Amino acid sequence: MQSTAKGKRIAKNTIMLYIRMLLTMAVTLYSSRIILRTLGFDDYGIYNVVGGIVAMFGFLNTSMVASTQRFMSYSLGSDERVQVSKVFSNSLLIHILIAFIILVFAETIGLWFFYNKLVIPDERMNAAFWVYQLSIVVFVLNVIRVPDNSAIIAYEKMSAYAYFSIIEVVLKLAIVFILPYLSYDKLVSYAVMVLIVVFLINLVYRLYVRRNFSHITFKPRYEKGLFKEMAGFAGWSLWGNLSSSFSSYG
């Protein structure tokens, strides 16, 4: 009976993830065409290039996703709820540190690259600057969301994970339909609305974890051994993600 229930759960999770993937692909393909038509070639290119500067730092975040999920899953397998909470707390501390490092790099090296290397029409520099700053905030929010995301995956709540992803995709699709009716600068408006969607989704993840996993609480307590072990594990996956990031955005 236990194996049957486990098999059904695996099948359900797999189906939900496939639905999420297919819907995400369909909406992305559809919305890209509409956004291109609404923003125009120049603004669409500016948004992708400026956002790409921030996304280059994504290899740090990707490495920590695997690390957090692995340590949470291991703690759950050992049925150590206190350890799960410790992993979550240290993971959040690590991600806050990563967010701070990315913020420093983005506002120094990234900003230098923005002003000195990117070819942007002079009349769109101000809009591009605000898109860059908003993209940094979006990325920082995504980094801080990773521990909540990892907790949901570690507990195999794939239905919730898929639903939240679908909600995010639908909200971003709504942006596509709203954007043509806005009178303010459409490039900046689009970046602002994406930021609002990401903030709302982060809030949904936080509330879900807090409500369903009451034993997972954040305690700003530094566990040297665990912190070092998690960072070390993430380091091994860092190189592959670094290569992939430069391959995509370099």
Tab-separated table of all heavy atoms in Angstrom, residues 62-76 87 91 95 146-147 149-156 158 161 230 233:
chain	number	residue	atom	x	y	z
A	62	THR	N	22.131	29.335	-8.987
A	62	THR	CA	21.848	27.981	-9.444
A	62	THR	C	22.610	26.956	-8.634
A	62	THR	O	22.102	25.872	-8.311
A	62	THR	CB	22.204	27.840	-10.945
A	62	THR	OG1	21.546	28.867	-11.676
A	62	THR	CG2	21.778	26.496	-11.484
A	63	SER	N	23.856	27.257	-8.291
A	63	SER	CA	24.665	26.349	-7.487
A	63	SER	C	24.051	26.125	-6.113
A	63	SER	O	24.036	25.008	-5.591
A	63	SER	CB	26.085	26.915	-7.334
A	63	SER	OG	26.698	27.087	-8.579
A	64	MET	N	23.522	27.187	-5.524
A	64	MET	CA	22.970	27.078	-4.184
A	64	MET	C	21.620	26.373	-4.158
A	64	MET	O	21.235	25.792	-3.144
A	64	MET	CB	22.835	28.467	-3.557
A	64	MET	CG	24.160	29.090	-3.153
A	64	MET	SD	25.199	27.985	-2.167
A	64	MET	CE	24.112	27.585	-0.823
A	65	VAL	N	20.868	26.396	-5.267
A	65	VAL	CA	19.596	25.671	-5.326
A	65	VAL	C	19.844	24.182	-5.097
A	65	VAL	O	19.184	23.539	-4.270
A	65	VAL	CB	18.903	25.880	-6.694
A	65	VAL	CG1	17.708	24.946	-6.827
A	65	VAL	CG2	18.445	27.313	-6.844
A	66	ALA	N	20.805	23.627	-5.834
A	66	ALA	CA	21.126	22.202	-5.696
A	66	ALA	C	21.627	21.891	-4.297
A	66	ALA	O	21.274	20.859	-3.711
A	66	ALA	CB	22.168	21.803	-6.741
A	67	SER	N	22.443	22.776	-3.743
A	67	SER	CA	23.003	22.553	-2.414
A	67	SER	C	21.916	22.561	-1.342
A	67	SER	O	21.840	21.657	-0.502
A	67	SER	CB	24.044	23.639	-2.107
A	67	SER	OG	24.548	23.490	-0.803
A	68	THR	N	21.043	23.564	-1.362
A	68	THR	CA	19.982	23.673	-0.361
A	68	THR	C	19.032	22.489	-0.419
A	68	THR	O	18.682	21.904	0.607
A	68	THR	CB	19.196	24.979	-0.577
A	68	THR	OG1	20.092	26.086	-0.550
A	68	THR	CG2	18.148	25.162	0.500
A	69	GLN	N	18.611	22.137	-1.627
A	69	GLN	CA	17.674	21.023	-1.794
A	69	GLN	C	18.288	19.713	-1.330
A	69	GLN	O	17.630	18.905	-0.673
A	69	GLN	CB	17.277	20.912	-3.265
A	69	GLN	CG	16.187	19.879	-3.528
A	69	GLN	CD	15.850	19.798	-5.008
A	69	GLN	OE1	16.022	20.767	-5.746
A	69	GLN	NE2	15.386	18.643	-5.432
A	70	ARG	N	19.554	19.514	-1.628
A	70	ARG	CA	20.240	18.270	-1.244
A	70	ARG	C	20.305	18.132	0.272
A	70	ARG	O	19.997	17.073	0.827
A	70	ARG	CB	21.649	18.276	-1.850
A	70	ARG	CG	22.439	17.000	-1.591
A	70	ARG	CD	23.454	17.180	-0.486
A	70	ARG	NE	24.302	16.024	-0.326
A	70	ARG	CZ	25.123	15.833	0.705
A	70	ARG	NH1	25.178	16.752	1.664
A	70	ARG	NH2	25.869	14.757	0.794
A	71	PHE	N	20.682	19.199	0.971
A	71	PHE	CA	20.824	19.125	2.422
A	71	PHE	C	19.470	19.012	3.112
A	71	PHE	O	19.348	18.341	4.138
A	71	PHE	CB	21.599	20.347	2.936
A	71	PHE	CG	23.085	20.223	2.784
A	71	PHE	CD1	23.707	20.611	1.616
A	71	PHE	CD2	23.857	19.677	3.797
A	71	PHE	CE1	25.074	20.487	1.452
A	71	PHE	CE2	25.230	19.545	3.658
A	71	PHE	CZ	25.846	19.959	2.471
A	72	MET	N	18.452	19.672	2.568
A	72	MET	CA	17.116	19.538	3.143
A	72	MET	C	16.583	18.121	2.963
A	72	MET	O	16.006	17.544	3.889
A	72	MET	CB	16.166	20.547	2.501
A	72	MET	CG	16.268	21.935	3.071
A	72	MET	SD	14.884	22.968	2.574
A	72	MET	CE	15.230	24.445	3.534
A	73	SER	N	16.764	17.559	1.790
A	73	SER	CA	16.293	16.199	1.516
A	73	SER	C	17.006	15.192	2.424
A	73	SER	O	16.384	14.249	2.925
A	73	SER	CB	16.531	15.835	0.047
A	73	SER	OG	15.795	16.688	-0.801
A	74	TYR	N	18.284	15.395	2.632
A	74	TYR	CA	19.054	14.498	3.506
A	74	TYR	C	18.542	14.574	4.942
A	74	TYR	O	18.382	13.546	5.620
A	74	TYR	CB	20.534	14.873	3.462
A	74	TYR	CG	21.409	13.992	4.314
A	74	TYR	CD1	21.829	12.742	3.866
A	74	TYR	CD2	21.812	14.403	5.581
A	74	TYR	CE1	22.630	11.929	4.656
A	74	TYR	CE2	22.605	13.608	6.382
A	74	TYR	CZ	23.012	12.368	5.918
A	74	TYR	OH	23.798	11.565	6.710
A	75	SER	N	18.261	15.788	5.412
A	75	SER	CA	17.750	15.964	6.775
A	75	SER	C	16.368	15.335	6.933
A	75	SER	O	16.060	14.733	7.956
A	75	SER	CB	17.689	17.451	7.135
A	75	SER	OG	18.975	18.034	7.077
A	76	LEU	N	15.534	15.442	5.896
A	76	LEU	CA	14.204	14.835	5.941
A	76	LEU	C	14.297	13.321	5.969
A	76	LEU	O	13.524	12.649	6.656
A	76	LEU	CB	13.386	15.277	4.722
A	76	LEU	CG	12.857	16.710	4.742
A	76	LEU	CD1	12.227	17.062	3.404
A	76	LEU	CD2	11.845	16.885	5.859
A	87	VAL	N	19.253	23.891	8.398
A	87	VAL	CA	19.638	23.974	6.987
A	87	VAL	C	18.944	25.169	6.330
A	87	VAL	O	19.566	25.933	5.587
A	87	VAL	CB	19.272	22.669	6.236
A	87	VAL	CG1	19.419	22.853	4.729
A	87	VAL	CG2	20.152	21.527	6.707
A	91	SER	N	20.864	28.340	4.931
A	91	SER	CA	20.672	28.569	3.504
A	91	SER	C	20.219	29.997	3.241
A	91	SER	O	20.709	30.654	2.306
A	91	SER	CB	19.643	27.581	2.949
A	91	SER	OG	19.307	27.891	1.624
A	95	HIS	N	22.103	32.862	1.113
A	95	HIS	CA	21.480	33.535	-0.024
A	95	HIS	C	21.411	35.050	0.172
A	95	HIS	O	21.495	35.805	-0.803
A	95	HIS	CB	20.092	32.951	-0.283
A	95	HIS	CG	20.135	31.673	-1.039
A	95	HIS	ND1	20.363	30.473	-0.440
A	95	HIS	CD2	20.017	31.413	-2.367
A	95	HIS	CE1	20.365	29.517	-1.348
A	95	HIS	NE2	20.162	30.063	-2.520
A	146	VAL	N	15.025	31.211	-2.967
A	146	VAL	CA	15.519	29.845	-3.176
A	146	VAL	C	15.286	28.914	-1.975
A	146	VAL	O	14.853	27.771	-2.165
A	146	VAL	CB	17.016	29.865	-3.569
A	146	VAL	CG1	17.633	28.471	-3.489
A	146	VAL	CG2	17.172	30.414	-4.975
A	147	PRO	N	15.555	29.327	-0.722
A	147	PRO	CA	15.307	28.408	0.397
A	147	PRO	C	13.851	27.954	0.499
A	147	PRO	O	13.586	26.774	0.763
A	147	PRO	CB	15.717	29.242	1.624
A	147	PRO	CG	16.718	30.202	1.099
A	147	PRO	CD	16.242	30.559	-0.273
A	149	ASN	N	11.720	27.820	-2.009
A	149	ASN	CA	11.542	26.968	-3.181
A	149	ASN	C	12.104	25.576	-2.923
A	149	ASN	O	11.471	24.553	-3.223
A	149	ASN	CB	12.262	27.617	-4.376
A	149	ASN	CG	11.806	27.043	-5.699
A	149	ASN	OD1	11.274	25.945	-5.757
A	149	ASN	ND2	12.018	27.773	-6.764
A	150	SER	N	13.293	25.515	-2.347
A	150	SER	CA	13.953	24.239	-2.067
A	150	SER	C	13.189	23.421	-1.026
A	150	SER	O	13.131	22.202	-1.113
A	150	SER	CB	15.387	24.485	-1.576
A	150	SER	OG	16.139	25.159	-2.559
A	151	ALA	N	12.597	24.104	-0.038
A	151	ALA	CA	11.823	23.411	0.989
A	151	ALA	C	10.611	22.722	0.370
A	151	ALA	O	10.294	21.569	0.691
A	151	ALA	CB	11.389	24.391	2.069
A	152	ILE	N	9.933	23.414	-0.536
A	152	ILE	CA	8.756	22.833	-1.201
A	152	ILE	C	9.145	21.611	-2.028
A	152	ILE	O	8.463	20.583	-2.008
A	152	ILE	CB	8.070	23.901	-2.080
A	152	ILE	CG1	7.435	24.978	-1.193
A	152	ILE	CG2	7.001	23.270	-2.969
A	152	ILE	CD1	6.889	26.162	-1.949
A	153	ILE	N	10.264	21.704	-2.742
A	153	ILE	CA	10.725	20.577	-3.564
A	153	ILE	C	11.196	19.423	-2.683
A	153	ILE	O	10.920	18.257	-2.970
A	153	ILE	CB	11.853	21.035	-4.509
A	153	ILE	CG1	11.312	22.062	-5.506
A	153	ILE	CG2	12.451	19.843	-5.260
A	153	ILE	CD1	12.367	22.676	-6.396
A	154	ALA	N	11.909	19.731	-1.606
A	154	ALA	CA	12.405	18.688	-0.708
A	154	ALA	C	11.262	17.902	-0.075
A	154	ALA	O	11.365	16.685	0.125
A	154	ALA	CB	13.280	19.313	0.380
A	155	TYR	N	10.158	18.567	0.216
A	155	TYR	CA	8.980	17.900	0.773
A	155	TYR	C	8.085	17.309	-0.311
A	155	TYR	O	6.994	16.817	-0.016
A	155	TYR	CB	8.175	18.882	1.630
A	155	TYR	CG	8.695	19.022	3.045
A	155	TYR	CD1	9.608	20.011	3.372
A	155	TYR	CD2	8.269	18.155	4.052
A	155	TYR	CE1	10.089	20.155	4.665
A	155	TYR	CE2	8.742	18.289	5.348
A	155	TYR	CZ	9.646	19.286	5.647
A	155	TYR	OH	10.119	19.410	6.934
A	156	GLU	N	8.553	17.382	-1.563
A	156	GLU	CA	7.860	16.793	-2.710
A	156	GLU	C	6.453	17.370	-2.906
A	156	GLU	O	5.529	16.664	-3.316
A	156	GLU	CB	7.793	15.266	-2.600
A	156	GLU	CG	9.167	14.611	-2.593
A	156	GLU	CD	9.080	13.098	-2.564
A	156	GLU	OE1	7.964	12.546	-2.620
A	156	GLU	OE2	10.145	12.462	-2.478
A	158	MET	N	5.202	19.031	-5.252
A	158	MET	CA	5.372	19.468	-6.635
A	158	MET	C	4.105	20.134	-7.185
A	158	MET	O	4.187	20.984	-8.068
A	158	MET	CB	5.769	18.288	-7.519
A	158	MET	CG	7.101	17.661	-7.141
A	158	MET	SD	8.439	18.876	-7.154
A	158	MET	CE	9.830	17.845	-6.696
A	161	TYR	N	4.356	23.656	-6.147
A	161	TYR	CA	5.428	24.270	-6.943
A	161	TYR	C	4.942	24.567	-8.352
A	161	TYR	O	5.190	25.654	-8.907
A	161	TYR	CB	6.637	23.332	-6.966
A	161	TYR	CG	7.754	23.774	-7.857
A	161	TYR	CD1	8.522	24.897	-7.556
A	161	TYR	CD2	8.058	23.072	-9.020
A	161	TYR	CE1	9.559	25.303	-8.373
A	161	TYR	CE2	9.093	23.471	-9.848
A	161	TYR	CZ	9.842	24.579	-9.522
A	161	TYR	OH	10.861	24.975	-10.351
A	230	MET	N	27.758	23.201	3.207
A	230	MET	CA	26.843	23.592	2.147
A	230	MET	C	27.558	24.417	1.076
A	230	MET	O	27.349	24.218	-0.125
A	230	MET	CB	25.678	24.400	2.724
A	230	MET	CG	24.727	23.600	3.584
A	230	MET	SD	23.383	24.603	4.258
A	230	MET	CE	22.449	24.949	2.766
A	233	PHE	N	29.780	22.065	-1.012
A	233	PHE	CA	29.013	21.267	-1.976
A	233	PHE	C	28.601	22.122	-3.169
A	233	PHE	O	28.657	21.680	-4.324
A	233	PHE	CB	27.774	20.687	-1.290
A	233	PHE	CG	26.942	19.809	-2.187
A	233	PHE	CD1	27.234	18.469	-2.333
A	233	PHE	CD2	25.864	20.340	-2.879
A	233	PHE	CE1	26.472	17.655	-3.152
A	233	PHE	CE2	25.087	19.541	-3.701
A	233	PHE	CZ	25.393	18.196	-3.841
